């Protein structure tokens, strides 16, 4: 089995750029009910993932920034506290499992570090659960 089996492709993944405003970020995260979203450079390279916590800490530590002027500030200004690591599409499943244990999703990149999608922790857990139940039921 390889990582591609679990891949949710880029065109199905909400992602942002460093130029996305904080207001747009908050609105997208709220609308989709996500607590973290991948950030890409203009060329499609994975930068990191912004979390609700990153945004909260940024607003707390920058009192001049608030929701009313959040459209004037971009994600490029926000320090990312969590470093959601990515895996290459040709990585082994052990690398994926190691990351999915500590991340809700694992960004997947190609051999040029271009973002191609994510693997969700919930999909891995669901797959493992199905395998366990198949094994138990086959006894």
């Amino acid at each position: 089995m390889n990582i591609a089996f679990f891949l949710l492709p880029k065109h199905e993944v909400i992602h942002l750029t460093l130029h996305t405003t904080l207001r747009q970020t908050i609105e997208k995260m709220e609308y989709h009910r996500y607590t973290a979203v991948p950030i890409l450079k203009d060329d499609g390279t994975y930068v990191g993932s912004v979390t609700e916590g990153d945004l909260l800490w940024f607003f707390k530590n920058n009192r001049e920034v608030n929701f009313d002027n959040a459209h004037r500030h971009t994600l490029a200004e926000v320090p990312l506290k969590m470093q959601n690591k990515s895996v290459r599409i040709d990585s082994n499943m052990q690398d994926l499992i190691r990351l999915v244990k500590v991340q809700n999703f694992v960004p997947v990149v190609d051999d040029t570090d271009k973002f191609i999608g994510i693997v969700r922790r919930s999909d891995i857990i669901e797959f493992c659960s199905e395998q366990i139940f198949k094994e138990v039921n086959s006894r």
Side-chain angles (χ1 to χ4, degrees):
M1 173 151 314
N2 64 35
I3 291 172
F5 178 81
F6 296 102
L7 185 71
L8 184 64
K10 179 180 178 178
H11 70 272
E12 295 181 29
V13 177
I14 300 306
H15 53 279
L16 309 168
T17 70
L18 291 169
H19 306 294
T20 305
T21 70
L22 298 186
R23 185 180 193 108
Q24 291 168 326
T25 301
I26 292 166
E27 288 172 349
K28 279 191 178 196
M29 290 175 83
E30 179 183 28
Y31 178 80
H32 294 284
R33 299 184 135 178
Y34 292 151
T35 59
V37 178
I39 304 170
L40 311 181
K41 290 182 182 176
D42 291 335
D43 68 357
T45 304
Y46 174 70
V47 173
S49 296
V50 64
T51 67
E52 290 175 325
D54 295 330
L55 296 171
L56 288 171
W57 285 112
F58 183 77
F59 280 103
K60 178 193 174 286
N61 294 326
N62 296 278
R63 302 261 182 208
E64 72 284 354
V65 181
N66 55 55
F67 191 72
D68 291 332
N69 66 15
H71 64 283
R72 295 188 187 117
H73 299 274
T74 66
L75 280 176
E77 301 172 53
V78 178
L80 304 178
K81 305 273 188 215
M82 292 284 298
Q83 292 302 318
N84 274 15
K85 295 181 180 168
S86 62
V87 294
R88 285 180 39 159
I89 190 66
D90 59 355
S91 294
N92 62 48
M93 288 299 292
Q94 288 176 324
D95 294 336
L96 176 65
I97 299 297
R98 198 172 295 118
L99 291 176
V100 84
K101 287 189 319 186
V102 295
Q103 297 175 191
N104 286 335
F105 64 88
V106 178
V108 181
V109 298
D110 65 15
D111 58 350
T112 63
D113 290 328
K114 301 295 188 262
F115 178 80
I116 59 172
I118 63 170
V119 173
R120 297 179 293 202
R121 178 191 296 165
S122 60
D123 291 340
I124 300 286
I125 293 170
E126 184 177 331
F127 175 80
C128 292
S129 173
E130 288 172 4
Q131 296 305 308
I132 290 169
F133 289 124
K134 281 181 188 176
E135 185 177 316
V136 168
N137 290 332
S138 68
R139 290 181 187 172

